[in-house]
Amino acid sequence: GAGVSQSPSNKVTEKGKDVELRCDPISGHTALYWYRQSLGQGLEFLIYFQGNSAPDKSGLPSDRFSAERTGGSVSTLTIQRTQQEDSAVYLCASSFSASGANVLTFGAGSRLTVL
Amino acid sequence: DQQVKQNSPSLSVQEGRISILNCDYTNSMFDYFLWYKKYPAEGPTFLISISSIKDKNEDGRFTVFLNKSAKHLSLHIVPSQPGDSAVYFCAAEGGSEKLVFGKGTKLTVNP
């Protein structure tokens, strides 16, 4: 597609429920990233996929968070047993590795509200 | 441990004047620095970058300056326009392909 597509754009859930957030990266982009932005905070790195390499999961805040990337394209971020502190905008980005700065193209985000 | 810091949460300037957004970093291994702009309800969009071997990069109204000895960079917007009103994020890259972001500065350009 022309840009990074994320769904749903908004999700309201009850504490303790599981949620899945989807990201469709730009076609041909080999790298895919998940970040989140909590209220008043910057962009917090969560996880990074690059080609067929093992993902860098160093930013996942707890074992309730997981992500997969199927076929090197679409990615799903899953949050199990959601807590109120999980409320944030979850941003997906993709990039094509080349020389120079690694420019990430972001989607519009999925706003998660945990009641 | 915040590796990229934007100490001013907000900045307000008059249309036509210069906007200067500042960013400090702690990791001397960063080799690229990027600025992103974010409008409400949209994802961040890339604005301009600079390599650590340069001290200035210019693109139209936007110029980024890098002072490696001070571990400081700044984004200059001149002349500022009301459409520039957004949150600006400084980001750094080095050693891996992850970007480390600051908390952002909200710029308001008043007509």
Side-chain angles (χ1 to χ4, degrees):
Chain A
V4 177
S5 177
Q6 291 188 246
S7 61
S9 54
N10 275 288
K11 175 73 177 179
V12 180
T13 191
E14 292 179 348
K15 178 181 170 181
K17 295 283 179 70
D18 297 352
V19 296
E20 282 189 353
L21 307 175
R22 176 189 165 106
C23 173
D24 218 325
I26 292 173
S27 177
H29 278 193
T30 55
L32 186 147
Y33 304 77
W34 284 97
Y35 284 81
R36 75 175 175 181
Q37 185 181 17
S38 304
L39 192 63
Q41 299 299 310
L43 278 66
E44 176 190 5
F45 167 77
L46 298 176
I47 188 169
Y48 155 57
F49 297 89
Q50 172 60 275
N52 294 322
S53 304
D56 178 343
K57 305 179 183 179
S58 60
L60 294 179
S62 77
D63 59 8
R64 296 186 295 104
F65 287 73
S66 63
E68 62 177 23
R69 187 179 186 192
T70 53
S73 180
V74 172
S75 176
T76 303
L77 177 69
T78 301
I79 309 172
Q80 296 179 308
R81 305 181 302 282
T82 51
Q83 303 295 310
Q84 289 184 332
E85 62 263 28
D86 299 335
S87 296
V89 177
Y90 288 81
L91 291 157
C92 177
S94 67
S95 72
F96 176 73
S97 293
S99 59
N102 184 27
V103 177
L104 274 59
T105 302
F106 283 87
S110 293
R111 179 177 295 277
L112 174 65
T113 303
V114 182
L115 302 177
Chain B
D1 174 26
Q2 233 187 317
Q3 296 188 68
V4 177
K5 300 178 186 178
Q6 294 178 256
N7 292 318
S8 298
S10 63
L11 174 68
S12 184
V13 300
Q14 286 299 119
E15 180 178 5
R17 307 297 286 266
I18 186 170
S19 296
I20 300 176
L21 298 121
N22 293 303
C23 178
D24 297 294
Y25 61 96
T26 57
N27 187 345
S28 56
M29 298 304 291
F30 287 138
D31 48 19
Y32 286 98
F33 302 90
L34 301 87
W35 285 93
Y36 278 78
K37 177 169 75 171
K38 186 181 185 299
Y39 293 119
E42 295 183 11
T45 56
F46 170 71
L47 201 53
I48 192 169
S49 67
I50 188 167
S51 163
S52 61
I53 63 173
K54 306 270 189 184
D55 54 18
K56 177 182 175 181
N57 188 26
E58 189 172 353
D59 184 1
R61 296 184 299 113
F62 303 91
T63 303
V64 56
F65 295 93
L66 175 63
N67 181 335
K68 282 191 69 177
S69 61
K71 294 193 178 70
H72 177 84
L73 62 154
S74 60
L75 175 68
H76 293 211
I77 307 173
V78 56
S80 302
Q81 300 173 352
D84 296 330
S85 297
V87 177
Y88 289 78
F89 290 98
C90 172
E93 174 197 354
S96 71
E97 293 185 354
K98 296 183 297 195
L99 293 189
V100 180
F101 285 85
K103 291 191 174 184
T105 297
K106 183 177 181 179
L107 173 66
T108 303
V109 180
N110 301 301

mmCIF file of all heavy atoms in Angstrom, chain A residues 9 11 13 15 21 26 43 47 49 51-53 55 57 59 61 66 81 84 90 96 98-99 101 103 111 114:
data_model
loop_
_atom_site.group_PDB
_atom_site.id
_atom_site.type_symbol
_atom_site.label_atom_id
_atom_site.label_comp_id
_atom_site.label_asym_id
_atom_site.label_seq_id
_atom_site.Cartn_x
_atom_site.Cartn_y
_atom_site.Cartn_z
ATOM 1 N N SER A 9 -8.377 1.881 14.628
ATOM 2 C CA SER A 9 -7.849 3.202 14.952
ATOM 3 C C SER A 9 -8.125 3.535 16.416
ATOM 4 O O SER A 9 -7.351 4.262 17.042
ATOM 5 C CB SER A 9 -8.450 4.267 14.038
ATOM 6 O OG SER A 9 -9.847 4.205 14.073
ATOM 7 N N LYS A 11 -9.643 1.592 20.140
ATOM 8 C CA LYS A 11 -10.109 0.377 20.804
ATOM 9 C C LYS A 11 -10.322 0.683 22.284
ATOM 10 O O LYS A 11 -9.413 1.154 22.970
ATOM 11 C CB LYS A 11 -9.076 -0.735 20.644
ATOM 12 C CG LYS A 11 -9.396 -2.020 21.393
ATOM 13 C CD LYS A 11 -10.517 -2.785 20.753
ATOM 14 C CE LYS A 11 -10.772 -4.099 21.457
ATOM 15 N NZ LYS A 11 -11.918 -4.828 20.816
ATOM 16 N N THR A 13 -11.438 -1.195 25.774
ATOM 17 C CA THR A 13 -11.596 -2.533 26.315
ATOM 18 C C THR A 13 -11.661 -2.468 27.834
ATOM 19 O O THR A 13 -11.312 -1.463 28.442
ATOM 20 C CB THR A 13 -10.446 -3.448 25.858
ATOM 21 O OG1 THR A 13 -10.744 -4.800 26.183
ATOM 22 C CG2 THR A 13 -9.138 -3.067 26.543
ATOM 23 N N LYS A 15 -10.485 -3.846 31.558
ATOM 24 C CA LYS A 15 -9.309 -4.400 32.212
ATOM 25 C C LYS A 15 -9.420 -5.928 32.262
ATOM 26 O O LYS A 15 -10.478 -6.480 32.562
ATOM 27 C CB LYS A 15 -9.228 -3.828 33.628
ATOM 28 C CG LYS A 15 -8.091 -4.350 34.462
ATOM 29 C CD LYS A 15 -8.134 -3.728 35.848
ATOM 30 C CE LYS A 15 -7.154 -4.423 36.776
ATOM 31 N NZ LYS A 15 -7.185 -3.845 38.132
ATOM 32 N N LEU A 21 -3.725 -5.673 17.934
ATOM 33 C CA LEU A 21 -3.577 -4.508 17.081
ATOM 34 C C LEU A 21 -2.820 -4.946 15.834
ATOM 35 O O LEU A 21 -1.829 -5.671 15.929
ATOM 36 C CB LEU A 21 -2.813 -3.400 17.822
ATOM 37 C CG LEU A 21 -3.368 -3.016 19.197
ATOM 38 C CD1 LEU A 21 -2.458 -1.994 19.871
ATOM 39 C CD2 LEU A 21 -4.776 -2.472 19.082
ATOM 40 N N ILE A 26 4.459 -0.729 4.634
ATOM 41 C CA ILE A 26 4.639 -0.380 3.231
ATOM 42 C C ILE A 26 5.253 -1.579 2.504
ATOM 43 O O ILE A 26 6.212 -2.188 2.996
ATOM 44 C CB ILE A 26 5.529 0.875 3.096
ATOM 45 C CG1 ILE A 26 4.775 2.099 3.640
ATOM 46 C CG2 ILE A 26 5.952 1.106 1.652
ATOM 47 C CD1 ILE A 26 5.607 3.355 3.711
ATOM 48 N N LEU A 43 7.910 8.696 22.371
ATOM 49 C CA LEU A 43 7.653 7.426 21.707
ATOM 50 C C LEU A 43 8.552 6.362 22.328
ATOM 51 O O LEU A 43 9.774 6.461 22.289
ATOM 52 C CB LEU A 43 7.931 7.535 20.211
ATOM 53 C CG LEU A 43 6.822 8.127 19.348
ATOM 54 C CD1 LEU A 43 6.580 9.580 19.667
ATOM 55 C CD2 LEU A 43 7.133 7.958 17.880
ATOM 56 N N ILE A 47 9.170 -3.196 20.002
ATOM 57 C CA ILE A 47 9.715 -4.376 19.329
ATOM 58 C C ILE A 47 10.055 -4.024 17.890
ATOM 59 O O ILE A 47 9.459 -3.114 17.309
ATOM 60 C CB ILE A 47 8.717 -5.559 19.407
ATOM 61 C CG1 ILE A 47 9.331 -6.864 18.886
ATOM 62 C CG2 ILE A 47 7.431 -5.231 18.656
ATOM 63 C CD1 ILE A 47 8.465 -8.101 19.195
ATOM 64 N N PHE A 49 11.225 -5.871 14.019
ATOM 65 C CA PHE A 49 11.430 -7.021 13.136
ATOM 66 C C PHE A 49 12.275 -6.569 11.952
ATOM 67 O O PHE A 49 12.004 -5.518 11.355
ATOM 68 C CB PHE A 49 10.082 -7.530 12.586
ATOM 69 C CG PHE A 49 9.141 -8.037 13.624
ATOM 70 C CD1 PHE A 49 8.249 -7.179 14.252
ATOM 71 C CD2 PHE A 49 9.105 -9.389 13.961
ATOM 72 C CE1 PHE A 49 7.355 -7.644 15.201
ATOM 73 C CE2 PHE A 49 8.209 -9.867 14.899
ATOM 74 C CZ PHE A 49 7.341 -8.988 15.528
ATOM 75 N N GLY A 51 13.581 -8.394 8.449
ATOM 76 C CA GLY A 51 13.669 -9.547 7.573
ATOM 77 C C GLY A 51 13.347 -10.839 8.307
ATOM 78 O O GLY A 51 12.345 -10.936 9.028
ATOM 79 N N ASN A 52 14.202 -11.826 8.137
ATOM 80 C CA ASN A 52 14.002 -13.129 8.764
ATOM 81 C C ASN A 52 14.744 -13.269 10.088
ATOM 82 O O ASN A 52 14.756 -14.357 10.684
ATOM 83 C CB ASN A 52 14.469 -14.245 7.814
ATOM 84 C CG ASN A 52 13.605 -14.314 6.563
ATOM 85 O OD1 ASN A 52 12.393 -14.125 6.650
ATOM 86 N ND2 ASN A 52 14.225 -14.537 5.420
ATOM 87 N N SER A 53 15.373 -12.182 10.540
ATOM 88 C CA SER A 53 16.129 -12.249 11.799
ATOM 89 C C SER A 53 15.175 -12.336 12.982
ATOM 90 O O SER A 53 14.002 -11.970 12.890
ATOM 91 C CB SER A 53 17.002 -11.005 11.951
ATOM 92 O OG SER A 53 17.862 -10.842 10.854
ATOM 93 N N PRO A 55 13.335 -11.197 16.163
ATOM 94 C CA PRO A 55 12.946 -9.827 16.515
ATOM 95 C C PRO A 55 13.669 -9.313 17.750
ATOM 96 O O PRO A 55 14.054 -10.103 18.614
ATOM 97 C CB PRO A 55 11.441 -9.943 16.768
ATOM 98 C CG PRO A 55 11.197 -11.380 17.063
ATOM 99 C CD PRO A 55 12.227 -12.147 16.307
ATOM 100 N N LYS A 57 13.061 -7.758 20.968
ATOM 101 C CA LYS A 57 11.916 -7.585 21.862
ATOM 102 C C LYS A 57 12.282 -6.783 23.114
ATOM 103 O O LYS A 57 11.526 -6.791 24.093
ATOM 104 C CB LYS A 57 11.403 -8.952 22.328
ATOM 105 C CG LYS A 57 11.049 -9.912 21.230
ATOM 106 C CD LYS A 57 10.574 -11.231 21.821
ATOM 107 C CE LYS A 57 10.269 -12.253 20.752
ATOM 108 N NZ LYS A 57 9.822 -13.539 21.326
ATOM 109 N N GLY A 59 12.142 -3.895 24.137
ATOM 110 C CA GLY A 59 11.305 -2.826 24.663
ATOM 111 C C GLY A 59 9.961 -3.269 25.218
ATOM 112 O O GLY A 59 9.224 -2.461 25.795
ATOM 113 N N PRO A 61 7.255 -4.184 27.622
ATOM 114 C CA PRO A 61 7.252 -3.868 29.053
ATOM 115 C C PRO A 61 6.962 -5.052 29.965
ATOM 116 O O PRO A 61 7.312 -5.007 31.140
ATOM 117 C CB PRO A 61 6.165 -2.794 29.176
ATOM 118 C CG PRO A 61 5.297 -2.990 27.988
ATOM 119 C CD PRO A 61 6.142 -3.543 26.901
ATOM 120 N N SER A 66 3.167 -9.321 23.268
ATOM 121 C CA SER A 66 3.860 -10.141 22.280
ATOM 122 C C SER A 66 3.513 -9.608 20.904
ATOM 123 O O SER A 66 2.518 -8.891 20.724
ATOM 124 C CB SER A 66 3.455 -11.614 22.402
ATOM 125 O OG SER A 66 2.074 -11.770 22.127
ATOM 126 N N ARG A 81 -4.514 -9.751 29.023
ATOM 127 C CA ARG A 81 -4.915 -9.318 30.375
ATOM 128 C C ARG A 81 -4.599 -7.826 30.560
ATOM 129 O O ARG A 81 -3.854 -7.429 31.451
ATOM 130 C CB ARG A 81 -4.209 -10.155 31.433
ATOM 131 C CG ARG A 81 -4.417 -11.652 31.271
ATOM 132 C CD ARG A 81 -3.720 -12.444 32.371
ATOM 133 N NE ARG A 81 -2.285 -12.205 32.430
ATOM 134 C CZ ARG A 81 -1.397 -12.736 31.610
ATOM 135 N NH1 ARG A 81 -1.796 -13.526 30.619
ATOM 136 N NH2 ARG A 81 -0.109 -12.481 31.755
ATOM 137 N N GLN A 84 -4.857 -0.855 33.045
ATOM 138 C CA GLN A 84 -5.120 0.549 32.736
ATOM 139 C C GLN A 84 -3.861 1.268 32.253
ATOM 140 O O GLN A 84 -3.942 2.153 31.394
ATOM 141 C CB GLN A 84 -5.732 1.258 33.946
ATOM 142 C CG GLN A 84 -7.154 0.820 34.207
ATOM 143 C CD GLN A 84 -7.822 1.569 35.344
ATOM 144 O OE1 GLN A 84 -7.150 2.027 36.254
ATOM 145 N NE2 GLN A 84 -9.135 1.671 35.301
ATOM 146 N N TYR A 90 -0.654 3.190 20.135
ATOM 147 C CA TYR A 90 0.333 2.222 19.664
ATOM 148 C C TYR A 90 0.622 2.520 18.194
ATOM 149 O O TYR A 90 -0.273 2.485 17.350
ATOM 150 C CB TYR A 90 -0.169 0.794 19.878
ATOM 151 C CG TYR A 90 -0.149 0.433 21.342
ATOM 152 C CD1 TYR A 90 -1.191 0.841 22.181
ATOM 153 C CD2 TYR A 90 0.923 -0.250 21.903
ATOM 154 C CE1 TYR A 90 -1.161 0.567 23.547
ATOM 155 C CE2 TYR A 90 0.961 -0.532 23.266
ATOM 156 C CZ TYR A 90 -0.079 -0.113 24.077
ATOM 157 O OH TYR A 90 -0.036 -0.382 25.424
ATOM 158 N N PHE A 96 12.908 0.802 4.979
ATOM 159 C CA PHE A 96 13.703 0.025 4.040
ATOM 160 C C PHE A 96 15.152 0.350 4.310
ATOM 161 O O PHE A 96 15.543 1.503 4.167
ATOM 162 C CB PHE A 96 13.334 0.378 2.602
ATOM 163 C CG PHE A 96 14.186 -0.334 1.588
ATOM 164 C CD1 PHE A 96 14.000 -1.689 1.353
ATOM 165 C CD2 PHE A 96 15.181 0.335 0.897
ATOM 166 C CE1 PHE A 96 14.790 -2.355 0.428
ATOM 167 C CE2 PHE A 96 15.972 -0.323 -0.025
ATOM 168 C CZ PHE A 96 15.778 -1.673 -0.255
ATOM 169 N N ALA A 98 18.764 1.102 4.036
ATOM 170 C CA ALA A 98 19.684 1.574 3.006
ATOM 171 C C ALA A 98 20.750 2.384 3.726
ATOM 172 O O ALA A 98 20.714 2.536 4.933
ATOM 173 C CB ALA A 98 18.931 2.429 1.996
ATOM 174 N N SER A 99 21.672 2.912 2.981
ATOM 175 C CA SER A 99 22.697 3.719 3.639
ATOM 176 C C SER A 99 22.082 5.032 4.089
ATOM 177 O O SER A 99 21.066 5.478 3.567
ATOM 178 C CB SER A 99 23.850 3.997 2.666
ATOM 179 O OG SER A 99 23.376 4.679 1.539
ATOM 180 N N ALA A 101 20.516 7.702 7.128
ATOM 181 C CA ALA A 101 19.613 7.642 8.278
ATOM 182 C C ALA A 101 18.491 6.645 8.010
ATOM 183 O O ALA A 101 18.008 6.514 6.882
ATOM 184 C CB ALA A 101 19.029 9.019 8.549
ATOM 185 N N VAL A 103 15.073 6.083 8.042
ATOM 186 C CA VAL A 103 13.846 6.878 8.119
ATOM 187 C C VAL A 103 12.657 5.949 8.272
ATOM 188 O O VAL A 103 12.354 5.158 7.376
ATOM 189 C CB VAL A 103 13.689 7.766 6.866
ATOM 190 C CG1 VAL A 103 12.369 8.535 6.936
ATOM 191 C CG2 VAL A 103 14.863 8.735 6.757
ATOM 192 N N ARG A 111 -5.348 3.852 19.035
ATOM 193 C CA ARG A 111 -5.505 4.381 20.391
ATOM 194 C C ARG A 111 -6.215 3.344 21.246
ATOM 195 O O ARG A 111 -7.352 2.966 20.949
ATOM 196 C CB ARG A 111 -6.311 5.680 20.369
ATOM 197 C CG ARG A 111 -6.539 6.272 21.768
ATOM 198 C CD ARG A 111 -7.278 7.601 21.700
ATOM 199 N NE ARG A 111 -6.483 8.615 21.026
ATOM 200 C CZ ARG A 111 -5.539 9.347 21.598
ATOM 201 N NH1 ARG A 111 -5.271 9.190 22.890
ATOM 202 N NH2 ARG A 111 -4.879 10.243 20.919
ATOM 203 N N VAL A 114 -8.036 1.376 28.166
ATOM 204 C CA VAL A 114 -8.400 0.262 29.038
ATOM 205 C C VAL A 114 -9.164 0.829 30.237
ATOM 206 O O VAL A 114 -8.620 1.628 31.000
ATOM 207 C CB VAL A 114 -7.159 -0.506 29.516
ATOM 208 C CG1 VAL A 114 -7.581 -1.692 30.386
ATOM 209 C CG2 VAL A 114 -6.330 -0.983 28.327
#
